[in-house]
Amino acid sequence: MRLVDIAWNNLRRRRGKALLLVLGLTVGITTVVALQAITHTLRADVEVKLDEYGANILVVPRSNTLSLSYGGLTVSAAAYDVGELTERDVGLLWTIPFSRNLSIVAPKLLSAVEIADQTVLVAGVDFASELELKKWWRLEGRAPEADDEAIVGARVASLLGLDMGSPVQVGDDTFRIVAVLAENGTQDDDILFIDLDAARRALNRPDSVTLVEVAALCSACPVEEIVKQIEAVLPQARVSALRQAVTLRMETVEQLSHFSLFLSGVVLFSGGLVVLTTMMGAVSERKQEIGLFRAIGFRSAHIVRIILTEAALLSVVGGLLGWLVGMSAAALLAPGMARVDVAVRWDPWLVVGAVGLALIVGLLASLYPAARAARLDPTTALRSL
């Protein structure tokens, strides 16, 4: 009879002990799988929401001007040796090696314009990319559909008495307000937004771009590398990453990962203790059986292999059950408890990891009981017969 058959028959005769061992491993693997699945889902959800929050890379013309602003207050400064960006430069952004990670590229043309005896900052934008970049915008009205339609910030609208349908003169062109941007506490409240091509015509600045905001999906690549690649294709531009958004993302992901790993380690240790205790009890109950094996010629190595084979069979079952229950629990709990919008992904590699982890815990916890069983003196064990 093969050793695996002996191990299988032993498990069938002692179903209660086998069930307890499988239950201990299942609880441990379930907790680990659920934590990992929820952590991965949280990471994906955080990345999606942070990427939707706005630009994390800013491209502006290179100059020798220092920033003289603090807390929203800007002190006048003289700019010199200021370069200029063009529509061709915007197109070059899509040629960098990491262009697949650029989700949104939003060029802008900015200019101060006199409107109703007030100096107003006018921003020429591509409304399709701008509205996609700033998903938090709340419009009282509708999105512009023609190049003579505009969106006005809340404070500009209040200061100039503008509302939906109001005409606004920019240069020689007239624009009609179709939406008022709800106040959000940013500089957008002080801006009049018009179509980019229309702004170029009205301001007589064909093909000009003042700055470019870029939203990059940086979960699979460092944002610093994207910055370097943009600087390589646009040497006349100053490229900077908005560190606050990137740092927040990395810190959040790291905290989630560390918490998940720590808690997983604690639960796995507890599962290993259950396996150790169960196997020690099984060895104590089987002294006579082990003595018979030794008396008919089984060596110590055979006894160890039988015990470890039993542990391996039960570990595979516990790993599979733990993966199935853990993933089901994660799919049910993640939307409510973690409040994520991203669906839990059933990663096929996670089942491999769950079974492998269960095998490692089960076999390690069974080494001492197996060694103890192999050291039993057959004559001592047979005296109780």
Side-chain angles (χ1 to χ4, degrees):
M1 182 179 290
R2 297 180 303 171
L3 296 180
V4 66
D5 295 327
I6 296 174
W8 177 249
N9 290 329
N10 287 336
L11 294 177
R12 292 176 59 187
R13 289 197 306 269
R14 296 175 174 83
R15 295 179 182 176
K17 294 287 185 182
L19 182 60
L20 181 61
L21 194 148
V22 169
L23 183 61
L25 283 174
T26 300
V27 171
I29 298 301
T30 294
T31 305
V32 173
V33 169
L35 282 173
Q36 291 300 315
I38 291 176
T39 300
H40 292 165
T41 304
L42 283 171
R43 181 184 293 112
D45 189 69
V46 167
E47 289 172 353
V48 168
K49 288 178 179 177
L50 285 175
D51 286 328
E52 288 180 351
Y53 186 74
N56 50 15
I57 297 176
L58 190 64
V59 184
V60 299
R62 187 180 297 277
S63 71
N64 293 325
T65 305
L66 296 176
S67 175
L68 300 179
S69 62
Y70 184 82
L73 177 65
T74 301
V75 181
S76 61
Y80 53 96
D81 295 338
V82 178
E84 187 178 62
L85 299 178
T86 65
E87 191 64 33
R88 177 180 175 276
D89 296 327
V90 177
L92 290 176
L93 295 177
W94 297 105
T95 66
I96 66 173
F98 275 145
S99 60
R100 64 186 181 279
N101 295 92
L102 304 183
S103 60
I104 305 172
V105 174
K108 293 176 178 58
L109 176 62
L110 304 179
S111 181
V113 177
E114 292 291 328
I115 301 177
D117 298 327
Q118 291 286 342
T119 302
V120 176
L121 182 60
V122 174
V125 300
D126 174 37
F127 279 114
S129 60
E130 194 72 15
L131 292 173
E132 185 181 2
L133 180 71
K134 299 178 178 177
K135 297 181 184 295
W136 67 89
W137 272 12
R138 289 187 296 110
L139 300 180
E140 298 174 6
R142 61 173 177 83
E145 298 174 353
D147 60 3
D148 63 343
E149 296 178 340
I151 296 175
V152 63
R155 286 199 291 267
V156 175
S158 176
L159 182 64
L160 301 183
L162 301 176
D163 204 347
M164 266 81 75
S166 298
V168 177
Q169 189 77 20
V170 178
D172 295 330
D173 296 338
T174 301
F175 296 86
R176 183 168 56 90
I177 304 297
V178 296
V180 176
L181 178 62
E183 188 168 1
N184 55 36
T186 68
Q187 60 187 9
D188 296 337
D189 298 332
D190 302 324
I191 299 177
L192 173 68
F193 296 91
I194 63 177
D195 179 74
L196 178 59
D197 291 332
R200 287 169 176 164
R201 292 192 300 268
L203 301 173
N204 195 25
R205 295 173 62 182
D207 204 37
S208 293
V209 174
T210 304
L211 61 90
V212 184
E213 289 183 303
V214 180
L217 304 173
C218 295
S219 59
C221 66
V223 67
E224 291 81 4
E225 184 60 31
I226 293 182
V227 169
K228 291 180 181 177
Q229 292 178 5
I230 295 177
E231 289 175 339
V233 297
L234 297 178
Q236 77 278 22
R238 179 167 57 87
V239 186
S240 57
L242 304 185
R243 302 288 178 178
Q244 186 174 3
V246 178
T247 302
L248 174 63
R249 173 188 302 170
M250 296 307 297
E251 288 180 354
T252 304
V253 170
E254 288 300 319
Q255 289 174 358
L256 292 173
S257 299
H258 291 164
F259 172 76
S260 175
L261 289 175
F262 172 76
L263 195 54
S264 298
V266 173
V267 174
L268 281 177
F269 180 75
S270 302
L273 289 179
V274 172
V275 174
L276 176 62
T277 304
T278 304
M279 295 302 291
M280 288 293 292
V283 168
S284 298
E285 292 178 359
R286 295 163 59 184
K287 286 183 179 179
Q288 296 176 357
E289 177 186 322
I290 295 171
L292 285 174
F293 284 149
R294 295 299 306 276
I296 62 177
F298 278 62
R299 295 190 296 271
S300 297
H302 293 146
I303 304 300
V304 171
R305 288 172 60 185
I306 291 173
I307 301 296
L308 294 183
T309 300
E310 294 175 11
L313 291 173
L314 296 177
S315 296
V316 171
V317 175
L320 289 173
L321 286 176
W323 171 79
L324 181 61
V325 177
M327 290 301 300
S328 300
L332 290 174
L333 297 177
M337 293 182 61
R339 300 184 182 277
V340 296
D341 299 324
V342 178
V344 174
R345 180 170 174 264
W346 288 66
D347 188 351
W349 287 105
L350 198 54
V351 65
V352 178
V355 174
L357 193 58
L359 279 170
I360 292 173
V361 173
L363 293 176
L364 286 178
S366 302
L367 282 177
Y368 177 71
R372 184 177 179 182
R375 290 197 302 268
L376 283 176
D377 185 356
T379 59
T380 304
L382 291 174
R383 285 176 188 166
S384 59
L385 288 174

